[in-house]
Short mmCIF file of all heavy atoms in Angstrom, two decimals:
data_model
loop_
_atom_site.label_atom_id
_atom_site.label_comp_id
_atom_site.label_asym_id
_atom_site.label_seq_id
_atom_site.Cartn_x
_atom_site.Cartn_y
_atom_site.Cartn_z
N MET U 1100 -117.48 76.17 -28.28
CA MET U 1100 -118.57 76.22 -27.29
C MET U 1100 -118.37 75.16 -26.21
O MET U 1100 -118.51 75.40 -25.02
CB MET U 1100 -119.92 76.02 -28.00
CG MET U 1100 -121.11 76.04 -27.06
SD MET U 1100 -121.35 77.67 -26.31
CE MET U 1100 -122.83 77.37 -25.33
N LEU U 1112 -115.98 73.53 -10.09
CA LEU U 1112 -115.34 72.61 -9.14
C LEU U 1112 -114.37 73.35 -8.25
O LEU U 1112 -114.27 73.06 -7.06
CB LEU U 1112 -114.59 71.51 -9.92
CG LEU U 1112 -115.48 70.56 -10.71
CD1 LEU U 1112 -114.60 69.58 -11.46
CD2 LEU U 1112 -116.45 69.86 -9.81
N PHE U 1116 -114.44 73.44 -4.11
CA PHE U 1116 -113.36 73.03 -3.24
C PHE U 1116 -112.29 74.13 -3.21
O PHE U 1116 -111.31 74.06 -3.93
CB PHE U 1116 -112.74 71.72 -3.72
CG PHE U 1116 -113.75 70.63 -3.90
CD1 PHE U 1116 -113.85 69.97 -5.11
CD2 PHE U 1116 -114.61 70.29 -2.88
CE1 PHE U 1116 -114.78 68.97 -5.27
CE2 PHE U 1116 -115.55 69.29 -3.05
CZ PHE U 1116 -115.64 68.64 -4.24
N GLY U 1216 -125.71 56.11 -12.07
CA GLY U 1216 -126.40 57.36 -11.80
C GLY U 1216 -126.59 58.21 -13.03
O GLY U 1216 -127.63 58.86 -13.19
N GLY U 1220 -132.81 55.39 -15.44
CA GLY U 1220 -133.76 54.46 -16.04
C GLY U 1220 -133.51 53.01 -15.66
O GLY U 1220 -133.09 52.70 -14.54
N LEU U 1277 -126.29 61.61 -9.41
CA LEU U 1277 -127.67 62.02 -9.64
C LEU U 1277 -127.84 63.53 -9.46
O LEU U 1277 -128.66 64.16 -10.14
CB LEU U 1277 -128.61 61.28 -8.69
CG LEU U 1277 -128.77 59.78 -8.94
CD1 LEU U 1277 -129.63 59.14 -7.85
CD2 LEU U 1277 -129.38 59.52 -10.32
N LEU U 1371 -104.72 50.83 16.04
CA LEU U 1371 -104.21 52.17 15.76
C LEU U 1371 -104.35 52.54 14.29
O LEU U 1371 -104.78 53.66 13.95
CB LEU U 1371 -102.74 52.26 16.19
CG LEU U 1371 -102.47 52.31 17.70
CD1 LEU U 1371 -100.97 52.28 17.97
CD2 LEU U 1371 -103.10 53.55 18.31
#
Side-chain angles (χ1 to χ4, degrees):
M1100 179 67 178
L1112 293 177
F1116 306 125
L1277 291 175
L1371 287 175

